[in-house]
Each structure stands twice: as structure tokens, then as C-alpha cells.
Amino acid sequence: EGLGNELLTNVNFDPEDEIDWQGQIKVPTRGDRKMLVDLSLKNCRVLLEEKVWKQNLKKKSPTEPILEQLQKDLHLLSLPKHIECFDNSNFQGQYPVASMVVFKDGKASKKDYRHFKIKTVEGPNDFASMEEIVLRRYKRCIDENLPFPDLIIVDGGKGQLSSAAKSLEALGLLTKIPIIGIAKKLEEIYVLNDPIPLHLDKRSTSLKIIQQLRNEAHRFGITFHRDLRSKGTFVTHLTDLPGIGKG
């Protein structure tokens, strides 16, 4: 990640002669620069996992057995042919947004992806944001007679899952649509009314497809968030100039 004549990295290294780098190489440990490095690493992991997943998927049989295994592992009553996954995104509390990605028959259905600007929540509150977007999404499904998913996934643990479930309950859908949460770091799967997380085999196709959905929602949300930040910065810098802006 470069900033002018600075090269920010997570490891110390000496540039090779052919690079001919004249600037400073820094390994930040805190602040905005550390956040930029962490975000870059997270994006790289998302892209790598997505690439590996796609390569492995090509080697496998059609997606029906994969969905059948997912149904078995999560104890679902029906085959999860239509899955929707939600993720929150904010940068130091600014421009809070959320994303929803959709998989149908085990494949991304990008025309059904949705972005959300958080409207009712003040400050960085991921639980309240999740509650808002799930309520908005499925109220719209009810109002417009849109099909409901066979499975809902939220990026987060018990707190995020409980927030999403609260909205489903308010809409009378809690007993009609299965919902799970995937917690970061340990990749634990949480289901409602069970304090003990479900640990799927790290090599299982079920965990891989859940991770793929989560990563895709994260990527989609970061892209939207980056666009909003860029527009916000651009507008601020211009409107601060004398003689430019409103009036």
C-alpha cells in the first residue's frame, strides 16, 4: 500500500536493486496507516480464498451434492438452493453500509446482490445495523411478494445472529426461514437457541460454501464503502474551496 514516497507493509524487507525504490518503507503498528495495511491484507485473503474455492469447485461434481451436504450439516428441512448472506461495513464509524449477496444453486447470482445505506442507526453499531437491513430486506420481500431464501447467513456470532433474528420475528418469519451466523477467526457456525457453536470440518464443502458467501458479501460491501468514501472525500475537498459549492 503506497502513500506518496511511503511504502506501507506488514513485514520488514530490503527492496531489490532492480526496484529502485527511493522512498521510505514503514511497518505501522497503529493508527490509520495500520488500518490501511490490515484492510489490504484482508482483501488479499478474500481474493485468494475466492480463487482457491473456484478452482476446487471446477474439480468437483455438480453443486447438487454440495447443497445436500450443506443441508445435512446444518440440519435443514429443505435443500438450500437460494441463500442470502449479509455483512456490515464501516470505516471509523463513517459511511455505515451493508451488503447482501445471493447464491442460487450453489453459484453467485450477482443480479440479485443488494447494497444498503444504514438509515436509522447512529454511529458504528453493527448489531443495530444488522437488525435494520434484515428488517428492510424481508419487509420488501413481503410487500412485493418476492421469494424468500432457503437459508440466511449473517457475518458474525451470537450478537449479529440475535439481531437478525429479532427482525425476522417482527415480520413473522423466524420459524419459516433458517438463519445462521458465521463468527470470525475460529469460523464457528452459530444457530439460534444453541449457545454451543457448530464446528464444521475445515475441509468440508459446507464450510467452504458458507465462507465463500461471507467473503463475497465482505468484498461487495467493501467496494460500495470505498466508493462512498471516495465520493465523500472528493466532495469535501472541492466544497471547501472558496467560491465552490453551494450558494
Side-chain angles (χ1 to χ4, degrees):
E1 182 75 38
L3 291 175
N5 64 343
E6 291 182 355
L7 181 66
L8 305 182
T9 178
N10 64 320
V11 293
N12 283 303
F13 71 96
D14 294 323
E16 298 178 2
D17 294 338
E18 55 265 26
I19 295 180
D20 192 28
W21 174 256
Q22 302 299 321
Q24 294 180 306
I25 297 176
K26 294 184 177 180
V27 183
T29 58
R30 61 185 179 180
D32 290 345
R33 286 172 167 77
K34 178 64 163 59
M35 291 182 65
L36 283 172
V37 172
D38 290 343
L39 184 60
S40 297
L41 288 171
K42 183 180 289 186
N43 287 341
C44 288
R45 282 195 294 269
V46 168
L47 291 173
L48 179 60
E49 288 176 358
E50 182 176 357
K51 182 177 181 180
V52 171
W53 165 254
K54 288 180 177 179
Q55 289 175 342
N56 291 338
L57 192 60
K58 290 179 181 178
K59 301 175 185 178
K60 296 181 181 296
S61 56
T63 56
E64 191 81 2
I66 296 176
L67 296 180
E68 290 175 352
Q69 186 62 47
L70 181 60
Q71 178 184 1
K72 179 181 178 182
D73 288 341
L74 298 182
H75 309 290
L76 304 176
L77 296 178
S78 61
L79 197 66
K81 290 188 174 184
H82 176 177
I83 307 174
E84 297 184 354
C85 181
F86 296 86
D87 178 49
N88 290 321
S89 179
N90 67 71
F91 183 75
Q92 295 180 329
Q94 295 182 319
Y95 308 107
V97 299
S99 60
M100 182 196 78
V101 300
V102 180
F103 274 27
K104 292 183 176 179
D105 295 318
K107 298 179 181 178
S109 180
K110 295 193 175 183
K111 65 181 179 63
D112 296 310
Y113 285 17
R114 295 290 182 271
H115 284 132
F116 301 86
K117 289 183 181 179
I118 304 302
K119 298 179 179 179
T120 63
V121 180
E122 294 290 338
N125 187 331
D126 285 344
F127 295 161
S129 297
M130 183 64 71
E131 186 176 342
E132 177 190 320
I133 61 173
V134 170
L135 184 70
R136 285 167 54 189
R137 166 61 181 169
Y138 297 113
K139 185 178 185 304
R140 182 181 178 188
C141 287
I142 292 173
D143 293 343
E144 299 182 14
N145 198 28
L146 301 175
F148 295 115
D150 302 307
L151 175 65
I152 298 171
I153 300 173
V154 298
D155 180 23
K158 290 186 288 185
Q160 297 277 26
L161 179 61
S162 297
S163 298
K166 189 183 298 184
S167 291
L168 292 182
E169 185 173 23
L171 296 169
L173 298 174
L174 189 56
T175 60
K176 299 179 181 179
I177 309 176
I179 181 170
I180 63 170
I182 175 169
K184 296 178 177 67
K185 294 183 180 178
L186 296 179
E187 302 293 69
E188 297 172 326
I189 307 300
Y190 282 90
V191 298
L192 286 176
N193 303 318
D194 190 344
I196 301 176
L198 175 65
H199 291 274
L200 298 177
D201 190 299
K202 300 299 182 184
R203 298 165 296 179
S204 73
T205 57
S206 295
L207 182 59
K208 292 300 182 185
I209 197 169
I210 293 171
Q211 289 173 325
Q212 174 69 3
L213 275 148
R214 187 271 314 278
N215 292 343
E216 179 70 352
H218 180 72
R219 180 200 65 78
F220 191 55
I222 282 180
T223 301
F224 183 46
H225 201 266
R226 186 185 300 123
D227 291 343
L228 288 180
R229 292 206 317 269
S230 297
K231 291 177 182 177
T233 303
F234 178 74
V235 170
T236 300
H237 287 171
L238 283 182
T239 53
D240 284 346
L241 294 175
I244 297 180
K246 298 180 180 180

PDB file of all heavy atoms in Angstrom, residues 215-231:
ATOM      1  N   ASN A 215     -17.291 -14.184   2.333  1.00  0.00           N
ATOM      2  CA  ASN A 215     -16.232 -13.416   1.687  1.00  0.00           C
ATOM      3  C   ASN A 215     -16.768 -12.553   0.548  1.00  0.00           C
ATOM      4  O   ASN A 215     -16.324 -11.421   0.352  1.00  0.00           O
ATOM      5  CB  ASN A 215     -15.146 -14.359   1.156  1.00  0.00           C
ATOM      6  CG  ASN A 215     -14.377 -15.047   2.264  1.00  0.00           C
ATOM      7  OD1 ASN A 215     -14.424 -14.612   3.417  1.00  0.00           O
ATOM      8  ND2 ASN A 215     -13.688 -16.123   1.933  1.00  0.00           N
ATOM      9  N   GLU A 216     -17.706 -13.097  -0.194  1.00  0.00           N
ATOM     10  CA  GLU A 216     -18.301 -12.344  -1.296  1.00  0.00           C
ATOM     11  C   GLU A 216     -19.098 -11.155  -0.767  1.00  0.00           C
ATOM     12  O   GLU A 216     -19.044 -10.051  -1.319  1.00  0.00           O
ATOM     13  CB  GLU A 216     -19.192 -13.264  -2.130  1.00  0.00           C
ATOM     14  CG  GLU A 216     -19.899 -12.594  -3.300  1.00  0.00           C
ATOM     15  CD  GLU A 216     -18.965 -12.180  -4.428  1.00  0.00           C
ATOM     16  OE1 GLU A 216     -17.727 -12.271  -4.278  1.00  0.00           O
ATOM     17  OE2 GLU A 216     -19.471 -11.725  -5.466  1.00  0.00           O
ATOM     18  N   ALA A 217     -19.833 -11.355   0.333  1.00  0.00           N
ATOM     19  CA  ALA A 217     -20.578 -10.245   0.944  1.00  0.00           C
ATOM     20  C   ALA A 217     -19.614  -9.180   1.453  1.00  0.00           C
ATOM     21  O   ALA A 217     -19.871  -7.975   1.325  1.00  0.00           O
ATOM     22  CB  ALA A 217     -21.452 -10.765   2.088  1.00  0.00           C
ATOM     23  N   HIS A 218     -18.496  -9.619   2.024  1.00  0.00           N
ATOM     24  CA  HIS A 218     -17.492  -8.681   2.524  1.00  0.00           C
ATOM     25  C   HIS A 218     -16.881  -7.886   1.371  1.00  0.00           C
ATOM     26  O   HIS A 218     -16.747  -6.658   1.448  1.00  0.00           O
ATOM     27  CB  HIS A 218     -16.404  -9.446   3.280  1.00  0.00           C
ATOM     28  CG  HIS A 218     -15.329  -8.584   3.845  1.00  0.00           C
ATOM     29  ND1 HIS A 218     -15.516  -7.751   4.924  1.00  0.00           N
ATOM     30  CD2 HIS A 218     -14.038  -8.409   3.456  1.00  0.00           C
ATOM     31  CE1 HIS A 218     -14.389  -7.109   5.189  1.00  0.00           C
ATOM     32  NE2 HIS A 218     -13.480  -7.485   4.307  1.00  0.00           N
ATOM     33  N   ARG A 219     -16.521  -8.571   0.296  1.00  0.00           N
ATOM     34  CA  ARG A 219     -15.939  -7.897  -0.867  1.00  0.00           C
ATOM     35  C   ARG A 219     -16.913  -6.892  -1.466  1.00  0.00           C
ATOM     36  O   ARG A 219     -16.558  -5.755  -1.774  1.00  0.00           O
ATOM     37  CB  ARG A 219     -15.562  -8.937  -1.926  1.00  0.00           C
ATOM     38  CG  ARG A 219     -14.954  -8.340  -3.189  1.00  0.00           C
ATOM     39  CD  ARG A 219     -15.044  -9.285  -4.356  1.00  0.00           C
ATOM     40  NE  ARG A 219     -16.418  -9.542  -4.762  1.00  0.00           N
ATOM     41  CZ  ARG A 219     -17.169  -8.706  -5.476  1.00  0.00           C
ATOM     42  NH1 ARG A 219     -16.685  -7.519  -5.838  1.00  0.00           N
ATOM     43  NH2 ARG A 219     -18.401  -9.017  -5.800  1.00  0.00           N
ATOM     44  N   PHE A 220     -18.156  -7.312  -1.621  1.00  0.00           N
ATOM     45  CA  PHE A 220     -19.183  -6.460  -2.216  1.00  0.00           C
ATOM     46  C   PHE A 220     -19.425  -5.226  -1.347  1.00  0.00           C
ATOM     47  O   PHE A 220     -19.579  -4.114  -1.857  1.00  0.00           O
ATOM     48  CB  PHE A 220     -20.472  -7.279  -2.363  1.00  0.00           C
ATOM     49  CG  PHE A 220     -21.536  -6.623  -3.195  1.00  0.00           C
ATOM     50  CD1 PHE A 220     -21.279  -6.195  -4.483  1.00  0.00           C
ATOM     51  CD2 PHE A 220     -22.818  -6.453  -2.681  1.00  0.00           C
ATOM     52  CE1 PHE A 220     -22.278  -5.605  -5.252  1.00  0.00           C
ATOM     53  CE2 PHE A 220     -23.811  -5.859  -3.435  1.00  0.00           C
ATOM     54  CZ  PHE A 220     -23.544  -5.441  -4.729  1.00  0.00           C
ATOM     55  N   GLY A 221     -19.424  -5.411  -0.033  1.00  0.00           N
ATOM     56  CA  GLY A 221     -19.626  -4.288   0.874  1.00  0.00           C
ATOM     57  C   GLY A 221     -18.452  -3.326   0.875  1.00  0.00           C
ATOM     58  O   GLY A 221     -18.630  -2.102   0.895  1.00  0.00           O
ATOM     59  N   ILE A 222     -17.223  -3.852   0.851  1.00  0.00           N
ATOM     60  CA  ILE A 222     -16.034  -3.008   0.851  1.00  0.00           C
ATOM     61  C   ILE A 222     -15.981  -2.154  -0.414  1.00  0.00           C
ATOM     62  O   ILE A 222     -15.628  -0.973  -0.376  1.00  0.00           O
ATOM     63  CB  ILE A 222     -14.754  -3.870   0.973  1.00  0.00           C
ATOM     64  CG1 ILE A 222     -14.551  -4.310   2.419  1.00  0.00           C
ATOM     65  CG2 ILE A 222     -13.533  -3.095   0.500  1.00  0.00           C
ATOM     66  CD1 ILE A 222     -13.327  -5.161   2.623  1.00  0.00           C
ATOM     67  N   THR A 223     -16.355  -2.735  -1.552  1.00  0.00           N
ATOM     68  CA  THR A 223     -16.363  -1.987  -2.813  1.00  0.00           C
ATOM     69  C   THR A 223     -17.314  -0.803  -2.734  1.00  0.00           C
ATOM     70  O   THR A 223     -16.972   0.325  -3.115  1.00  0.00           O
ATOM     71  CB  THR A 223     -16.778  -2.905  -3.974  1.00  0.00           C
ATOM     72  OG1 THR A 223     -15.868  -4.009  -4.057  1.00  0.00           O
ATOM     73  CG2 THR A 223     -16.757  -2.149  -5.292  1.00  0.00           C
ATOM     74  N   PHE A 224     -18.505  -1.031  -2.222  1.00  0.00           N
ATOM     75  CA  PHE A 224     -19.502   0.030  -2.074  1.00  0.00           C
ATOM     76  C   PHE A 224     -19.009   1.088  -1.091  1.00  0.00           C
ATOM     77  O   PHE A 224     -19.133   2.291  -1.316  1.00  0.00           O
ATOM     78  CB  PHE A 224     -20.818  -0.583  -1.605  1.00  0.00           C
ATOM     79  CG  PHE A 224     -21.952   0.394  -1.468  1.00  0.00           C
ATOM     80  CD1 PHE A 224     -22.232   1.318  -2.453  1.00  0.00           C
ATOM     81  CD2 PHE A 224     -22.762   0.384  -0.335  1.00  0.00           C
ATOM     82  CE1 PHE A 224     -23.287   2.219  -2.325  1.00  0.00           C
ATOM     83  CE2 PHE A 224     -23.817   1.268  -0.191  1.00  0.00           C
ATOM     84  CZ  PHE A 224     -24.079   2.197  -1.187  1.00  0.00           C
ATOM     85  N   HIS A 225     -18.430   0.628   0.000  1.00  0.00           N
ATOM     86  CA  HIS A 225     -17.948   1.536   1.040  1.00  0.00           C
ATOM     87  C   HIS A 225     -16.812   2.403   0.523  1.00  0.00           C
ATOM     88  O   HIS A 225     -16.749   3.611   0.789  1.00  0.00           O
ATOM     89  CB  HIS A 225     -17.470   0.725   2.245  1.00  0.00           C
ATOM     90  CG  HIS A 225     -17.426   1.510   3.510  1.00  0.00           C
ATOM     91  ND1 HIS A 225     -16.280   2.126   3.942  1.00  0.00           N
ATOM     92  CD2 HIS A 225     -18.380   1.805   4.424  1.00  0.00           C
ATOM     93  CE1 HIS A 225     -16.529   2.749   5.080  1.00  0.00           C
ATOM     94  NE2 HIS A 225     -17.785   2.580   5.388  1.00  0.00           N
ATOM     95  N   ARG A 226     -15.911   1.800  -0.256  1.00  0.00           N
ATOM     96  CA  ARG A 226     -14.791   2.541  -0.829  1.00  0.00           C
ATOM     97  C   ARG A 226     -15.298   3.622  -1.778  1.00  0.00           C
ATOM     98  O   ARG A 226     -14.786   4.745  -1.791  1.00  0.00           O
ATOM     99  CB  ARG A 226     -13.857   1.582  -1.566  1.00  0.00           C
ATOM    100  CG  ARG A 226     -12.581   2.247  -2.086  1.00  0.00           C
ATOM    101  CD  ARG A 226     -11.765   1.282  -2.915  1.00  0.00           C
ATOM    102  NE  ARG A 226     -11.365   0.123  -2.148  1.00  0.00           N
ATOM    103  CZ  ARG A 226     -11.654  -1.116  -2.494  1.00  0.00           C
ATOM    104  NH1 ARG A 226     -12.394  -1.368  -3.554  1.00  0.00           N
ATOM    105  NH2 ARG A 226     -11.224  -2.130  -1.754  1.00  0.00           N
ATOM    106  N   ASP A 227     -16.307   3.291  -2.564  1.00  0.00           N
ATOM    107  CA  ASP A 227     -16.876   4.278  -3.489  1.00  0.00           C
ATOM    108  C   ASP A 227     -17.486   5.454  -2.731  1.00  0.00           C
ATOM    109  O   ASP A 227     -17.299   6.617  -3.106  1.00  0.00           O
ATOM    110  CB  ASP A 227     -17.953   3.623  -4.367  1.00  0.00           C
ATOM    111  CG  ASP A 227     -17.365   2.634  -5.360  1.00  0.00           C
ATOM    112  OD1 ASP A 227     -16.140   2.701  -5.593  1.00  0.00           O
ATOM    113  OD2 ASP A 227     -18.119   1.809  -5.900  1.00  0.00           O
ATOM    114  N   LEU A 228     -18.205   5.167  -1.655  1.00  0.00           N
ATOM    115  CA  LEU A 228     -18.820   6.234  -0.867  1.00  0.00           C
ATOM    116  C   LEU A 228     -17.758   7.118  -0.215  1.00  0.00           C
ATOM    117  O   LEU A 228     -17.892   8.347  -0.182  1.00  0.00           O
ATOM    118  CB  LEU A 228     -19.729   5.645   0.211  1.00  0.00           C
ATOM    119  CG  LEU A 228     -21.049   5.020  -0.251  1.00  0.00           C
ATOM    120  CD1 LEU A 228     -21.821   4.487   0.950  1.00  0.00           C
ATOM    121  CD2 LEU A 228     -21.899   6.037  -1.000  1.00  0.00           C
ATOM    122  N   ARG A 229     -16.699   6.498   0.309  1.00  0.00           N
ATOM    123  CA  ARG A 229     -15.633   7.272   0.938  1.00  0.00           C
ATOM    124  C   ARG A 229     -14.946   8.168  -0.080  1.00  0.00           C
ATOM    125  O   ARG A 229     -14.644   9.325   0.196  1.00  0.00           O
ATOM    126  CB  ARG A 229     -14.594   6.348   1.579  1.00  0.00           C
ATOM    127  CG  ARG A 229     -15.084   5.579   2.789  1.00  0.00           C
ATOM    128  CD  ARG A 229     -13.942   5.214   3.724  1.00  0.00           C
ATOM    129  NE  ARG A 229     -12.757   4.723   3.045  1.00  0.00           N
ATOM    130  CZ  ARG A 229     -12.518   3.450   2.779  1.00  0.00           C
ATOM    131  NH1 ARG A 229     -13.402   2.524   3.091  1.00  0.00           N
ATOM    132  NH2 ARG A 229     -11.401   3.093   2.188  1.00  0.00           N
ATOM    133  N   SER A 230     -14.701   7.637  -1.278  1.00  0.00           N
ATOM    134  CA  SER A 230     -14.039   8.413  -2.325  1.00  0.00           C
ATOM    135  C   SER A 230     -14.888   9.607  -2.726  1.00  0.00           C
ATOM    136  O   SER A 230     -14.400  10.727  -2.850  1.00  0.00           O
ATOM    137  CB  SER A 230     -13.770   7.533  -3.550  1.00  0.00           C
ATOM    138  OG  SER A 230     -12.892   6.485  -3.219  1.00  0.00           O
ATOM    139  N   LYS A 231     -16.179   9.378  -2.903  1.00  0.00           N
ATOM    140  CA  LYS A 231     -17.075  10.474  -3.271  1.00  0.00           C
ATOM    141  C   LYS A 231     -17.161  11.498  -2.153  1.00  0.00           C
ATOM    142  O   LYS A 231     -17.148  12.703  -2.390  1.00  0.00           O
ATOM    143  CB  LYS A 231     -18.463   9.928  -3.587  1.00  0.00           C
ATOM    144  CG  LYS A 231     -18.523   9.108  -4.860  1.00  0.00           C
ATOM    145  CD  LYS A 231     -19.910   8.530  -5.071  1.00  0.00           C
ATOM    146  CE  LYS A 231     -19.950   7.663  -6.324  1.00  0.00           C
ATOM    147  NZ  LYS A 231     -21.286   7.029  -6.515  1.00  0.00           N
TER     148      LYS A 231
END
